[in-house]
């Protein structure tokens, strides 16, 4: 009877050990699966972060190029405006010189007419 009890206890102990080993194996599988899922999630998060960084850098580069293009266009517009102003000033100066020359010629003509009148009076 003691041997049977001892054999039964040994079987129960072995059954518990097997059950504990199975639980431990299932827990390890679950833990490994969880670790694997977390690792995958981390890799996805990291990849998403890298993609976000890449997109951010692309956007910054696009913005930088747009700012440079705006500056170039402003400078080009300013240059053209200055050229137009210079041409306008040149036209105005030519017009003033032309008017002065016409006035001088008219004054010279009046002076000649006065001299001719004066000369006729003297005669």
């Amino acid at each position: 009877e003691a041997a049977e009890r001892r054999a039964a206890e040994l079987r129960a102990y072995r059954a518990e050990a097997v059950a504990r080993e199975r639980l431990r194996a299932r827990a390890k599988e679950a833990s490994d699966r969880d670790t694997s899922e977390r690792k995958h999630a981390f890799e996805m998060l990291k990849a998403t972060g890298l993609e976000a960084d890449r997109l951010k850098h692309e956007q910054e580069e696009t913005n930088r190029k747009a700012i440079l293009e705006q500056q170039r266009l402003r400078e080009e517009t300013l240059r053209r405006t200055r050229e137009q102003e210079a041409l306008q000033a040149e036209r105005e100066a030519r017009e003033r010189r032309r008017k002065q020359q016409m006035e001088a010629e008219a004054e010279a003509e009046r002076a000649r007419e006065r001299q001719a009148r004066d000369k006729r009076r003297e005669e």
Side-chain angles (χ1 to χ4, degrees):
E1 205 174 293
E4 274 182 35
R5 210 176 327 130
R6 184 86 175 119
E9 285 175 3
L10 192 54
R11 280 192 303 271
Y13 177 76
R14 284 185 185 152
E16 279 182 38
V18 168
R20 273 195 308 272
E21 190 53 40
R22 285 183 186 157
L23 277 174
R24 195 175 7 257
R26 276 193 243 141
K28 182 166 178 7
E29 284 175 17
S31 173
D32 289 350
R33 198 170 36 251
D34 186 48
T35 301
S36 174
E37 288 171 0
R38 272 190 269 131
K39 204 175 202 180
H40 178 69
F42 176 75
E43 291 299 321
M44 292 299 289
L45 190 61
K46 190 167 119 182
T48 303
L50 292 174
E51 180 66 10
D53 284 348
R54 185 185 67 76
L55 290 173
K56 179 183 172 192
H57 289 302
E58 278 182 15
Q59 186 63 47
E60 288 170 350
E61 184 64 17
T62 301
N63 291 345
R64 187 185 67 76
K65 286 179 180 177
I67 289 168
L68 289 174
E69 181 64 13
Q70 285 175 340
Q71 285 177 331
R72 188 190 68 74
L73 290 173
R74 271 196 301 272
E75 290 168 0
E76 180 70 17
T77 301
L78 187 59
R79 183 186 62 77
R80 286 185 179 163
T81 301
R82 286 182 183 143
E83 286 175 358
Q84 290 299 318
E85 289 170 349
L87 289 173
Q88 182 65 28
E90 237 178 78
R91 281 193 294 272
E92 290 171 359
R94 273 197 307 269
E95 184 64 22
R96 277 193 306 277
R97 285 192 302 270
R98 187 183 68 75
K99 283 182 180 179
Q100 287 172 350
Q101 184 177 358
M102 287 174 60
E103 287 173 11
E105 288 172 359
E107 184 61 35
E109 181 63 29
R110 285 191 296 272
R112 279 193 297 277
E113 288 174 1
R114 268 194 311 273
Q115 284 177 345
R117 270 195 315 264
D118 291 347
K119 190 175 179 183
R120 279 193 300 253
R121 279 189 203 139
E122 285 178 14
E123 292 176 358

